[in-house]
Amino acid sequence: MAFLKKINSKAKPDSNTGFGTNATSYGGRFITKSGNANVKKTGIGFFDSISWYHTMVNIPRWKFMLIIVSFYFVVNFCFASMYYMIGVEHLKGISATTSLDKFGQAFFFSIQTYTTVGYGHISPSGFLTSFLAAVEALFGLLSFAIATGLFYGRFSMPKAFLMFSDNALIAPFGNGTALMIRLSPFKNTNLTDAEAKITLGMTIEDNGKLVNKFYNLDLELSKVNALTLSWTLVHPITENSPLYNLTQEDFQNITGEILVFIKVFDDMFSTTVVKRTSYSFSEVVFGAKFLPMFSRSSDDNRTVLHIDKLNLFEKVIL
């Protein structure tokens, strides 16, 4: 209750954030650093709870390729096993003598059938083997159609190619201080009509109960016409800010989170894309300022944006 009294009474909480106020029902962050909702869904079947398309489109590139390659070899291994059980004598052109060689040639015949390459060196004979080859050819066509759609979906899906600084800073600003968060585009895209919104969420004790309170933080500049260089989001900590009375010790002892929402138009995709992230109070550096991350090129003809300097800051005295 003592901390509740420290919150600026001029700062009015926002009840339309989409997050609940009952703090005892929440665990961990509201939003992950990657911008996803920190929610685990239960009470429904596993296959019903997962959108396989969205999962395959959003997983990391190495996982996607591993699944595609693994699926390719596992499927062909299964079909080769069925050819082997039916009998490799029903595959004309096999000249192997050992069991391993026979299975190996059945495996590569499966690959030729699955990919519809069909070199012609080995061909099926008999009803069962021919039927199995027909089923495998159909399965291969459908599999490659799905894989092609997933590849296209991953390449064509609109994404906000923005990077956020690892830390939020409490930095000098004018005659006072401000909360600062830096972001920057990192791809060869043209971003326009960028709009930012920051929400502060804190878990506090009110009348003996833990509750979540949320506040919209006013920004010095919430919209920019073109986002070509880095953009530092600045929330001046004025007498109307919920951060007005908070000290460095408060940031260390309070459970709080700063939610950042960015919306921007991408010329490449010709659509609006969004990006989200959050900063826990433990990720807020008190008394620091960002170092410049762009400079003039050596030939004075271009501006150089140093993406590797996005997180650089220096400590200052407030």
Side-chain angles (χ1 to χ4, degrees):
M1 194 64 179
F3 170 68
L4 182 59
K5 294 180 179 178
K6 293 190 65 175
I7 297 180
N8 191 354
S9 59
K10 296 181 180 180
K12 302 302 179 183
D14 183 7
S15 58
N16 298 320
T17 60
F19 299 98
T21 59
N22 186 0
T24 58
S25 300
Y26 273 85
R29 310 172 74 112
F30 298 110
I31 293 178
T32 64
K33 289 293 289 184
S34 61
N36 297 319
N38 190 26
V39 177
K40 178 182 178 181
K41 299 179 177 68
T42 61
I44 191 172
F46 175 76
F47 292 101
D48 292 330
S49 65
I50 294 179
S51 169
W52 293 106
Y53 174 78
H54 288 87
T55 300
M56 291 297 292
V57 166
N58 288 305
I59 60 176
R61 187 181 297 110
W62 70 269
K63 287 186 178 181
F64 177 78
M65 294 304 302
L66 179 63
I67 290 174
I68 294 295
V69 173
S70 299
F71 180 83
Y72 175 79
F73 282 103
V74 168
V75 167
N76 282 286
F77 179 85
C78 293
F79 275 102
S81 299
M82 288 187 279
Y83 288 123
Y84 187 83
M85 287 186 291
I86 292 174
V88 294
E89 63 272 12
H90 296 289
L91 295 176
K92 293 182 179 180
I94 287 185
S95 58
T97 55
T98 66
S99 298
L100 183 61
D101 287 340
K102 291 179 180 179
F103 183 84
Q105 293 196 31
F107 178 78
F108 288 110
F109 169 74
S110 172
I111 290 179
Q112 295 171 28
T113 305
Y114 183 76
T115 58
T116 67
V117 172
Y119 292 120
H121 174 64
I122 302 175
S123 59
S125 66
F127 176 77
L128 283 179
T129 307
S130 298
F131 178 77
L132 182 60
V135 171
E136 183 178 12
L138 176 62
F139 189 77
L141 288 173
L142 296 176
S143 299
F144 280 103
I146 294 173
T148 302
L150 291 174
F151 270 106
Y152 176 77
R154 290 180 64 89
F155 278 105
S156 63
M157 185 179 65
K159 294 181 180 179
F161 295 113
L162 296 172
M163 295 177 64
F164 292 92
S165 57
D166 291 339
N167 299 99
L169 308 182
I170 302 297
F173 181 73
N175 295 325
T177 58
L179 172 71
M180 296 188 183
I181 297 167
R182 188 157 68 176
L183 59 100
S184 175
F186 63 95
K187 292 281 189 180
N188 56 330
T189 57
N190 293 318
L191 305 178
T192 58
D193 299 325
E195 183 177 351
K197 181 180 180 181
I198 297 182
T199 300
L200 170 66
M202 290 186 290
T203 301
I204 60 177
E205 184 177 344
D206 188 6
N207 294 325
K209 297 174 60 178
L210 289 177
V211 297
N212 294 325
K213 286 188 177 292
F214 298 92
Y215 301 86
N216 286 328
L217 301 185
D218 296 329
L219 297 176
E220 178 202 23
L221 195 63
S222 62
K223 297 181 181 180
V224 292
N225 293 332
L227 184 53
T228 57
L229 299 173
S230 63
W231 184 15
T232 301
L233 306 179
V234 178
H235 164 66
I237 302 179
T238 65
E239 294 180 353
N240 296 319
S241 170
L243 300 175
Y244 183 62
N245 294 320
L246 301 189
T247 64
Q248 183 174 3
E249 290 73 22
D250 291 327
F251 277 95
Q252 296 172 352
N253 299 324
I254 299 168
T255 300
E257 188 174 345
I258 300 166
L259 315 177
V260 184
F261 306 86
I262 302 294
K263 181 170 62 175
V264 63
F265 185 83
D266 191 324
D267 287 353
M268 178 184 295
F269 297 115
S270 190
T271 189
T272 298
V273 292
V274 297
K275 189 78 171 181
R276 298 173 297 270
T277 192
S278 75
Y279 298 87
S280 64
F281 274 11
S282 61
E283 295 168 330
V284 177
V285 179
F286 202 91
K289 68 176 183 179
F290 287 113
L291 296 177
M293 63 176 294
F294 58 88
S295 60
R296 182 182 300 175
S297 63
S298 58
D299 58 5
D300 291 341
N301 288 329
R302 306 183 75 178
T303 301
V304 180
L305 181 62
H306 305 277
I307 304 298
D308 56 337
K309 296 182 179 182
L310 175 66
N311 300 310
L312 297 184
F313 62 84
E314 63 180 3
K315 298 289 290 183
V316 296
I317 299 175
L318 298 179

